[in-house]
Amino acid sequence: MERLASFSSDPFDKPPCRGCSSYLTEPYVKCAECGPPPFLLCLQCFTRGFEYKKHQSDHTYEIMTSDFPVLDPNWTAQEEMALLEAVMDCGFGNWQDVANQMCTKSKEECEKHYMKHFINNPLFASTLLNLKQAEEAQHNETAIPFHPADDPPRPTFDSLLSRDMAGYMPARADFVEEFDNYAEWDLRDIDFVEDDSDILHALKIAVVDIYHSRLKERQRRKKIIRDHGLINLRKFQILERRYPKELQELHEAMRRFARILGPLEHDKFIESHALEFELRREIRRLQEYRAAGITNFCSARTYEHLKRTREEERLKRTMLSEVLQYIQDSSACQQWLSRQADIDSGLSPTVPVPSSSGRRSAPPLNLTGLPGTEKLNEKEKELCQMVRLVPGAYLEYKAALVNECNKQGGLRLAQARALIKIDVNKTRKIYDFLIREGYITKA
């Protein structure tokens, strides 16, 4: 025979007796040879020698009871479980309610036993310490660790530090302006009174549930910001710039998935792609060496030096072809020489004045396949080709000028130039065209 803990203090949680189908009460008998499922009998059926299918009355058995001490000789296992359930139901510290629920122990006995064996017990204390250390170790693996501080920074409103932290207040763990900042306004006029109808009461409960869901979304966003270190956006952007341009674009595109991966997994994902990028670039360089017949790194250094020299020669030839374009115009040639002298001396080059002679005009813009071309008439297409303006931009400028003309009752050229910030000559041609076609009128 062996005494074991029961299923629960509630008899309805136990399986019924296999003999009489009544609910089992302790003590009861469990067959040690039958099962699973366990073959359980009440004491009355066991004493009658009940047999069923493979179960025989001479099988070995176990007596199931929780009437034995575990931590204290005066407390049975069933009372220990009842105490833990009562503390869970009534809350820690409400010892009078705990004693009322148990019915077998007083308030002082419950408090003394719980504090001695479940709070100050060295065995449980060491277990809780191990759990705390494991939690701290897991916390230290996050991408942006946070450490408690006695006096967190309190930046003044609208200061440089406050703007860098997006209005975050570390002492309160809140932002000056929260996500969904006016969510509480929906609750300001709600008041639960006794004479509310069932429908009105249900509507008020639904509004409160909606408010709770909005608060959960606010907390979720704040957790993402804290976990990923996004409070100081400037520092986050500086960290992004350490990657090559291609990886910066990937980082920007994959940022929306950071909320799913978590901070550590997201950083591993980006770093793995950075490593892949470096490996691919190194493989391309080695393939270039192999195609050129290079078999050692000494030859590779010579190849790189010659490659840079060829690139410099190509740039010089490009500069020479630029000189030849201006050679027929003495004033343009003089401007080019002065610009090159400024560049050689480290000064900012002067902007050359376009010459009336010797300069080739740019060819008309090809509108084939450009978005918005189908919205233009033939005259507008001709204008975009000559001005070299894409149809989408022209339609935006046209809409802005027409709207402003309708508001003011007319439009001047100076106002048009203030509205669209492009080359003044292009603005003049667009303005004259719209006046000529009757889209706008002069002020």
Side-chain angles (χ1 to χ4, degrees):
M1 296 187 298
E2 184 179 356
R3 298 188 297 177
L4 299 175
S6 64
F7 289 88
S8 172
S9 60
D10 189 356
F12 296 99
D13 291 340
K14 304 181 184 70
C17 173
R18 297 297 294 273
C20 59
S21 299
S22 62
Y23 289 104
L24 295 172
T25 58
E26 297 181 358
Y28 55 93
V29 177
K30 173 186 175 183
C31 180
E33 300 182 17
C34 299
F39 194 91
L40 305 178
L41 292 173
C42 64
L43 294 182
Q44 291 76 11
C45 294
F46 175 73
T47 55
R48 291 199 306 265
F50 177 80
E51 295 181 350
Y52 180 74
K53 293 185 178 179
K54 295 182 180 180
H55 175 69
Q56 302 297 323
S57 59
D58 59 349
H59 282 182
T60 57
Y61 60 92
E62 301 171 358
I63 297 180
M64 308 297 292
T65 179
S66 57
D67 189 17
F68 58 92
V70 178
L71 301 175
D72 191 310
N74 299 323
W75 285 70
T76 64
Q78 185 174 4
E79 290 176 331
E80 298 282 1
M81 292 188 296
L83 175 63
L84 295 177
E85 291 178 1
V87 172
M88 185 180 299
D89 295 339
C90 303
F92 178 79
N94 300 321
W95 301 115
Q96 185 60 54
D97 296 337
V98 171
N100 294 337
Q101 182 169 328
M102 285 193 61
C103 301
T104 58
K105 299 293 182 180
S106 66
K107 169 186 174 182
E108 291 75 14
E109 290 175 333
C110 293
E111 180 179 4
K112 181 180 179 180
H113 183 81
Y114 191 87
M115 297 299 295
K116 177 181 179 180
H117 295 285
F118 295 100
I119 299 299
N120 301 323
N121 192 329
L123 174 62
F124 293 130
S126 61
T127 304
L128 293 176
L129 180 61
N130 294 335
L131 291 176
K132 183 177 180 181
Q133 292 175 350
E135 182 181 359
E136 291 178 352
Q138 183 180 4
H139 178 73
N140 291 333
E141 294 178 356
T142 56
I144 307 296
F146 285 86
H147 303 285
D150 294 335
D151 189 16
R154 293 177 173 84
T156 58
F157 178 71
D158 205 25
S159 62
L160 179 61
L161 179 59
S162 178
R163 290 195 297 270
D164 287 344
M165 299 174 65
Y168 183 72
M169 298 177 290
R172 295 177 52 187
D174 289 328
F175 289 89
V176 174
E177 184 172 350
E178 296 283 356
F179 169 76
D180 200 359
N181 200 42
Y182 299 100
E184 290 76 11
W185 282 29
D186 295 338
L187 299 177
R188 57 183 178 177
D189 297 329
I190 292 182
D191 187 16
F192 289 89
V193 294
E194 295 181 357
D195 56 349
D196 284 344
S197 63
D198 294 341
I199 297 179
L200 182 58
H201 184 78
L203 287 175
K204 292 181 179 180
I205 293 296
V207 172
V208 174
D209 291 339
I210 293 173
Y211 171 69
H212 285 169
S213 64
R214 295 165 75 177
L215 286 185
K216 289 180 181 178
E217 177 64 17
R218 180 187 295 176
Q219 293 299 325
R220 186 186 69 85
R221 290 172 178 259
K222 288 168 66 174
K223 184 177 184 300
I224 292 174
I225 290 174
R226 282 195 289 261
D227 290 347
H228 290 270
L230 301 178
I231 292 177
N232 195 329
L233 187 59
R234 182 177 299 178
K235 290 185 178 180
F236 185 78
Q237 293 173 344
I238 292 175
L239 292 176
E240 279 187 340
R241 295 193 189 104
R242 73 178 188 268
Y243 296 116
K245 182 179 179 181
E246 295 82 358
L247 282 177
Q248 291 181 14
E249 297 175 355
L250 174 66
H251 200 286
E252 180 69 24
M254 297 303 297
R255 184 180 298 170
R256 67 195 66 181
F257 299 105
R259 70 187 73 176
I260 302 174
L261 295 177
L264 184 61
E265 291 77 8
H266 182 69
D267 288 349
K268 287 181 179 179
F269 176 78
I270 297 299
E271 290 295 337
S272 62
H273 278 74
L275 178 60
E276 179 188 4
F277 176 80
E278 295 294 334
L279 291 176
R280 288 182 180 274
R281 184 168 60 180
E282 185 68 16
I283 289 173
R284 286 194 297 269
R285 188 168 68 92
L286 295 176
Q287 289 176 342
E288 182 182 358
Y289 292 162
R290 175 173 290 185
I294 298 173
T295 58
N296 53 69
F297 285 104
C298 181
S299 302
R301 288 193 291 270
T302 304
Y303 172 79
E304 291 291 343
H305 175 72
L306 294 176
K307 183 179 179 180
R308 287 193 297 270
T309 303
R310 290 194 298 269
E311 185 66 21
E312 292 174 358
E313 292 294 334
R314 187 186 66 80
L315 293 176
K316 290 181 180 179
R317 289 195 298 269
T318 303
M319 294 171 60
L320 181 60
S321 63
E322 187 178 351
V323 172
L324 294 177
Q325 292 180 3
Y326 291 101
I327 202 65
Q328 302 297 330
D329 189 349
S330 58
S331 60
C333 183
Q334 191 67 30
Q335 291 174 358
W336 185 89
L337 291 175
S338 63
R339 184 179 64 180
Q340 295 301 317
D342 291 339
I343 295 175
D344 294 339
S345 60
L347 301 176
S348 300
T350 57
V351 179
V353 180
S355 174
S356 59
S357 61
R359 180 171 179 173
R360 296 177 298 177
S361 60
L365 179 64
N366 184 11
L367 302 182
T368 305
L370 293 180
T373 306
E374 68 280 358
K375 299 180 181 179
L376 306 179
N377 56 36
E378 295 301 326
K379 293 183 178 180
E380 290 176 327
K381 291 180 181 179
E382 182 180 354
L383 173 68
C384 290
Q385 289 176 344
M386 298 307 298
V387 181
R388 296 185 61 81
L389 191 66
V390 295
Y394 165 75
L395 292 174
E396 292 181 5
Y397 299 152
K398 175 185 173 182
L401 295 177
V402 171
N403 291 336
E404 187 67 20
C405 180
N406 294 334
K407 291 180 182 179
Q408 304 293 336
L411 195 66
R412 293 179 298 172
L413 178 60
Q415 294 174 324
R417 288 174 176 171
L419 284 175
I420 53 177
K421 303 295 184 180
I422 59 175
D423 182 68
V424 293
N425 296 320
K426 291 184 179 182
T427 305
R428 178 58 183 264
K429 292 179 181 180
I430 296 174
Y431 177 80
D432 293 341
F433 174 80
L434 296 179
I435 291 288
R436 187 168 58 253
E437 296 298 323
Y439 292 106
I440 61 176
T441 57
K442 287 186 177 181

